[in-house]
Amino acid sequence: MSDIMTAKDLNLWYDKTHALKNVNITIPEKSITAFIGPSGCGKSTFLKTLNRMNDLIPIVKITGEVCYNGQNIYDSSVDVNELRREIGMVFQKPNPFPMSIYDNIAYGPRTHGIKSKVKLDEIVEQSLRDAAIWDEVKDRLKKNALGMSGGQQQRLCIARALAVKPKILLMDEPTSALDPISTSRIEELAIELKKSYTIVIVTHNMQQAVRISDNTAFFLLGELIEYGETEKLFSQPTDKRTEDYITGRFG
Amino acid sequence: MKKNKIVERAVHGVFLILGLLTLGCVLLITVYLIISGIPAIKEIGLFDFLFGTRWASTAEEPSYGILPFILTSIYGTAGAIVIGVPIGFFSAVYLSKFAAPKIKGFMENAVSLLAGIPSVVYGLVGMLVLVPGIRTLFDIPDGASLAAAIIVLAIMILPSIIKVSMTALEAVPKEYEDASLALGATPVETCFRVSVPAAKSGIAAAVVLGVGRAIGEAMAVMMVSGNVPNMPSLFQSVRFLTTAVASEMSYSSGLQQQALFSIALVLFLFIMLINAVLNFFLKKENC
């Protein structure tokens, strides 16, 4: 497996708070990489540096590099919107737009200039199928998305992210607001999706990381403490702090 | 224990009375306007009153047609909306979504100040700057005209439109905007394709509020519109519903005075209609 993203000496400050300290990590293509760690450890912040969503917060300052396909995404020549199209994101709270299911999925493609009804129909169906929600919604595509259940909304958000054909899908605790059944659906979906996409997932749930991820990174106080194959990290952690965390001694 | 209950009840009672006082004022005005507005309409005839094109209250053979006033009020308000809404709306979009915090703070204060300027001052500035300006620019004998009134009204409704639209735009959940940006939409695309549609009923309410302000304004328009009961035309002196009442009330008597009350009643009905529309949009906002 080749590497799709690499962070080199990445540092991030919120105003004067040093939130990420010299993070170095390499994310392999078409796999699931999980970020774990206690609240406030910087895992979500780091996830957001990967598609530059932190740019939206004016007090954030970033040094170091994040390379995607060999290009530093913080280089001034990079088109942020194009970057975010290739590196999609699913948020903690399901956040469908207050419009129809169809329009939610078609939003991204339309933004990127696709106008043909036939083409949009095709994309909408394919995205919903890929997100394993087509059968549930195919008869109510014109209904408002806010009328769906939380779990359905989150799968809709995944479908919406897939509709712009990204290479990487960043998921920020995508199941923390969902019930166990919806959670397991999303987990199955993630495993299915890694055949075609690279997935990076932040999770509070260590079992989830074990169940679905190939590699796991453990963050603590803004530092990447340990990173490696999930199986190995959970069975034979090399760092004492990782061991303490995964055995539940803190966090 | 018991004493507490008595105090509690007494306080409730005081609040109730104060609330009823407000309600009483509204009722009193409504009833008074209806009672004093009806007789003249009866005497003149509803059709002749509303659709008569000639107002000559002090003539030998008086004529009480208020169509010029109604149309002037409608045209004036529509004109103010056409000019004021785009300016106000885009200002609100800029301030709520794009302006740097310092600029935003400064401009918000300026907008509040604009809202606080007494209408007579608007009228004064309009009279001294706008009216001569229009006279020279369009080379007409008198600059006091519907056009001048429209411009003054457009400026006067800006604060309501900007503030209410801003509140609506700022209430759009950030999650919507994040989702759009994460799909690769630019901030401008995000604003117009997600934020504005999500805030549309609030923005509609802002427009309706602007309509209400414009149609109810008297002092400023009286000072710049020339106050002649012509059928409305952009570069002619005109008279609005509000100014028709204000300008003749002090020396009116008999049927003329009753007719002024009838004009006020018509104006009142317009405002009621606008309020109903406003409530409709606000309710929609809350659902």
Side-chain angles (χ1 to χ4, degrees):
Chain A
M1 257 185 280
S2 61
D3 299 330
I4 192 163
M5 275 203 123
T6 312
K8 278 185 216 145
D9 300 323
L10 190 89
N11 283 279
L12 181 144
W13 287 265
Y14 281 117
D15 207 5
K16 291 195 172 62
T17 316
H18 199 173
L20 290 173
K21 298 167 190 162
N22 281 318
V23 176
N24 286 283
I25 196 169
T26 308
I27 293 164
E29 201 181 9
K30 294 189 179 160
S31 67
I32 300 182
T33 305
F35 294 170
I36 60 166
S39 300
C41 69
K43 57 191 189 301
S44 282
T45 304
F46 182 61
L47 188 77
K48 286 182 187 144
T49 60
L50 301 180
N51 70 341
R52 294 186 58 176
M53 285 299 276
N54 283 323
D55 291 19
L56 305 171
I57 308 163
I59 55 169
V60 162
K61 206 185 111 207
I62 294 168
T63 65
E65 278 186 12
V66 176
C67 288
Y68 165 65
N69 282 340
Q71 159 86 315
N72 178 14
I73 62 169
Y74 284 93
D75 194 89
S76 58
S77 67
V78 168
D79 177 351
V80 183
N81 306 305
E82 186 54 32
L83 175 82
R84 293 195 187 125
R85 196 184 71 70
E86 294 205 13
I87 306 177
M89 189 161 210
V90 176
F91 296 81
Q92 186 170 353
K93 218 177 103 200
N95 58 351
F97 298 128
M99 25 174 123
S100 73
I101 294 171
Y102 184 96
D103 288 338
N104 260 279
I105 308 294
Y107 180 88
R110 278 182 181 141
T111 302
H112 299 292
I114 297 175
K115 289 200 181 71
S116 145
K117 174 92 172 66
V118 181
K119 198 129 189 246
L120 284 173
D121 286 350
E122 202 180 291
I123 293 173
V124 168
E125 175 166 350
Q126 193 54 49
S127 308
L128 289 167
R129 279 188 191 283
D130 289 347
I133 194 177
W134 171 252
D135 289 331
E136 289 161 66
V137 300
K138 65 179 179 217
D139 299 323
R140 49 178 177 135
L141 292 175
K142 296 288 164 202
K143 293 262 166 67
N144 196 311
L146 299 182
M148 306 163 86
S149 76
Q152 287 177 324
Q153 288 190 4
Q154 193 63 302
R155 278 180 288 146
L156 178 77
C157 291
I158 294 174
R160 181 177 64 187
L162 296 179
V164 294
K165 308 211 159 50
K167 300 283 185 297
I168 304 179
L169 207 51
L170 308 176
M171 297 183 161
D172 188 2
E173 297 187 34
T175 61
S176 66
L178 304 181
D179 61 81
I181 294 170
S182 305
T183 299
S184 72
R185 284 234 174 115
I186 302 250
E187 290 179 2
E188 284 161 21
L189 177 59
I191 293 170
E192 188 59 35
L193 288 174
K194 80 167 177 180
K195 289 176 192 158
S196 346
Y197 304 90
T198 305
I199 295 178
V200 184
I201 184 168
V202 166
T203 178
H204 255 303
N205 181 335
M206 280 182 273
Q207 276 69 47
Q208 184 167 68
V210 174
R211 281 194 298 266
I212 68 172
S213 72
D214 302 291
N215 295 289
T216 299
F218 171 59
F219 285 83
L220 186 64
L221 301 170
E223 278 181 83
L224 176 60
I225 305 294
E226 189 166 348
Y227 176 52
E229 283 176 27
T230 302
E231 211 171 304
K232 189 171 165 297
L233 186 129
F234 279 95
S235 57
Q236 302 161 294
T238 51
D239 195 292
K240 180 81 177 60
R241 289 166 292 182
T242 314
E243 191 183 339
D244 286 350
Y245 182 70
I246 61 174
T247 54
R249 241 164 272 169
F250 71 93
Chain B
M1 183 73 183
K2 210 159 187 196
K3 199 181 156 205
N4 265 347
K5 228 175 190 174
I6 294 170
V7 171
E8 192 75 4
R9 281 213 179 139
V11 171
H12 279 222
V14 170
F15 289 166
L16 180 67
I17 290 169
L18 293 176
L20 287 177
L21 205 64
T22 314
L23 189 68
C25 291
V26 176
L27 276 179
L28 191 73
I29 291 174
T30 312
V31 171
Y32 181 75
L33 266 182
I34 292 173
I35 291 175
S36 42
I38 298 277
I41 296 179
K42 259 192 192 151
E43 189 159 341
I44 300 158
L46 185 63
F47 188 86
D48 288 340
F49 180 67
L50 288 180
F51 300 105
T53 56
R54 188 167 159 269
W55 175 269
S57 56
T58 49
E60 226 23 69
E61 264 178 59
S63 166
Y64 300 100
I66 65 163
L67 191 65
F69 308 154
I70 293 178
L71 287 181
T72 301
S73 276
I74 291 174
Y75 291 177
T77 303
I81 291 296
V82 167
I83 298 173
V85 166
I87 299 175
F89 168 70
F90 286 110
S91 303
V93 166
Y94 170 70
L95 288 175
S96 59
K97 299 295 168 195
F98 299 105
K102 267 189 190 161
I103 297 174
K104 184 182 168 184
F106 177 74
M107 279 186 65
E108 269 191 298
N109 282 333
V111 171
S112 301
L113 194 65
L114 196 63
I117 295 173
S119 63
V120 65
V121 176
Y122 281 98
L124 200 62
V125 175
M127 230 170 157
L128 296 176
V129 180
L130 205 55
V131 171
I134 287 177
R135 189 180 54 215
T136 345
L137 193 63
F138 295 99
D139 197 22
I140 47 177
D142 186 4
S145 58
L146 180 60
I150 284 175
I151 293 170
V152 169
L153 284 176
I155 297 169
M156 290 184 78
I157 63 172
L158 279 181
S160 346
I161 291 176
I162 293 176
K163 286 194 155 178
V164 177
S165 304
M166 265 180 84
T167 311
L169 283 167
E170 280 170 359
V172 173
K174 205 179 152 297
E175 287 84 13
Y176 294 165
E177 286 156 10
D178 282 351
S180 168
L181 292 166
L183 286 167
T186 64
V188 172
E189 283 166 346
T190 299
C191 179
F192 287 103
R193 299 193 49 208
V194 174
S195 314
V196 171
K200 63 175 183 292
S201 45
I203 293 167
V207 174
V208 179
L209 202 67
V211 171
R213 283 215 61 181
I215 207 161
E217 176 51 39
M219 182 51 81
V221 294
M222 176 136 84
M223 291 168 79
V224 299
S225 67
N227 205 22
V228 182
N230 292 322
M231 283 298 269
S233 152
L234 202 53
F235 293 113
Q236 251 193 346
S237 291
V238 289
R239 193 183 283 186
F240 290 72
L241 281 169
T242 46
T243 52
V245 180
S247 55
E248 288 186 20
M249 206 64 199
S250 55
Y251 60 83
S252 66
S253 60
L255 183 61
Q256 183 195 3
Q257 191 173 44
Q258 284 175 333
L260 295 181
F261 278 115
S262 306
I263 295 176
L265 181 62
V266 171
L267 186 63
F268 185 73
L269 292 177
F270 267 108
I271 300 283
M272 294 264 277
L273 182 73
I274 290 161
N275 258 334
V277 176
L278 182 67
N279 281 335
F280 171 77
F281 283 120
L282 289 178
K283 263 209 193 105
K284 236 173 130 186
E285 174 95 324
N286 291 333
C287 296

